[in-house]
Amino acid sequence: LEYTGIKMEVVSWSDAAAKQVEGKVGARKVFLVAATLRPETMYGQTNCFVGTAIKYGVFAINDKEAFVCTYRSARNMAFQGITAERGNVEQLLEIDGADIVGTKIKAPFALNSEVYVLPMENVLPTKGTGVVTSVPSDSPDDFQTLTDLRKKPEFYGIKAEWAAIDPVAVIATPTYGEMTAPAVVKQLKIQSQKDTKQLAEAKEIAYKEGFYNGKMLVGEFKGESVQDAKPKVRAKMIEAALAFAYAEPENLVISRSS
Ligand code: ZZB
């Protein structure tokens, strides 16, 4: 499976992360790296998600850059020509997802250029990088999680202001309009991020509708179909060194059950 790895540079660490990262990364810029199948939606990022029970690492990619992601994905990257030395995984430190929450990061290509890291219950440690960039306009999981967080910020241990950015219209679909994910969430009567079965169905619907019938509302390829714009946005992000190709190996089933 071919993902796009989105490089979200750390602007300011949460207090808990700052203490752990200090003195460990040298002169490197640090990026949270999110794996996405929808690079054309990056204009609408409003935050980023990590799993609070997931262990992440900060990995040296070369002398200038370090990535925050799961060990598993760092290892995959080391065999895909992303790291300076093939096969070598250099972990600078380990950090709990819970401690990364509240970190402010850059959101490449997004209309909101800086966003916060927030907690999501349904992040799988066995998929992508374990970091998920959030586009609530077009991803039902993201919209529902953001809605949950806004209803009960203290319950989730976040500051309300971290979840303050509203969904941004980036793609129009004939059936659902300019906010596909919120419309599908409403149609399927989804109440919380715990409604995982309905959310899987909503994701399927939103993927299909966006890919086959979506039109870009913003960005350099405004007016073009999602099908045409998707590879172009991806290429632009890679050219700008804000993203890279990241492939998931075929042992997904094995790693899921282990
Ligand atoms: C931004 C985005 C915008 C996404 C959208 C989707 C949508 P799939 O199809 O199951 O492979 N994702 C990535 N990694 C994880 C993880 N570890 N745990 C949970 N979710 C993860 O799913 C790939 C998508 O799932 C990725 O693409 C990412 O969210 C999320 F408008 O990135 B996406 C209708 C979906 N729309």
Side-chain angles (χ1 to χ4, degrees), residues 34-82:
T36 184
L37 293 175
R38 299 207 57 192
E40 79 283 5
T41 67
M42 293 300 103
Y43 302 106
Q45 297 173 84
T46 62
N47 61 278
C48 164
F49 290 121
V50 295
T52 54
I54 296 177
K55 295 256 185 233
Y56 295 85
V58 181
F59 300 93
I61 296 302
N62 52 46
D63 292 344
K64 298 200 171 69
E65 298 188 350
F67 288 178
V68 180
C69 57
T70 57
Y71 179 86
R72 180 191 151 276
S73 60
R75 192 168 179 282
N76 289 336
M77 287 176 202
F79 288 98
Q80 293 177 33
I82 294 160

Side-chain angles (χ1 to χ4, degrees), residues 47-50 52 98 100-103 116-120 145-164:
N47 61 278
C48 164
F49 290 121
V50 295
T52 54
I100 305 171
V101 169
T103 295
Y116 284 95
V117 180
L118 298 172
M120 176 190 248
T145 304
L146 185 62
T147 303
D148 292 357
L149 294 170
R150 283 179 169 197
K151 274 187 200 149
K152 291 194 208 169
E154 46 308 305
F155 174 82
Y156 289 102
I158 66 157
K159 287 191 187 158
E161 72 213 52
W162 298 345

Side-chain angles (χ1 to χ4, degrees), residues 4 42-43 47 78 98-101 111 121 165 167 177 191 196 206 209 218 227 236 246 256:
T4 304
M42 293 300 103
Y43 302 106
N47 61 278
D99 291 341
I100 305 171
V101 169
L111 274 61
E121 289 174 15
I165 301 177
Q191 300 294 331
T196 51
E209 183 69 12
V218 296
Q227 249 170 303
K236 287 278 173 190
Y246 171 68
R256 250 183 204 159

Side-chain angles (χ1 to χ4, degrees), residues 74-144:
R75 192 168 179 282
N76 289 336
M77 287 176 202
F79 288 98
Q80 293 177 33
I82 294 160
T83 52
E85 192 192 333
R86 181 176 171 82
N88 184 37
V89 181
E90 189 187 349
Q91 181 166 322
L92 303 170
L93 68 138
E94 185 180 73
I95 186 162
D96 289 337
D99 291 341
I100 305 171
V101 169
T103 295
K104 193 200 271 186
I105 56 180
K106 290 186 188 171
F109 278 38
L111 274 61
N112 292 288
S113 58
E114 294 186 353
V115 303
Y116 284 95
V117 180
L118 298 172
M120 176 190 248
E121 289 174 15
N122 301 329
V123 178
L124 297 167
T126 51
K127 181 154 100 177
T129 57
V131 176
V132 182
T133 191
S134 171
V135 186
S137 55
D138 291 271
S139 164
D141 290 286
D142 298 350
F143 176 70
Q144 189 55 54

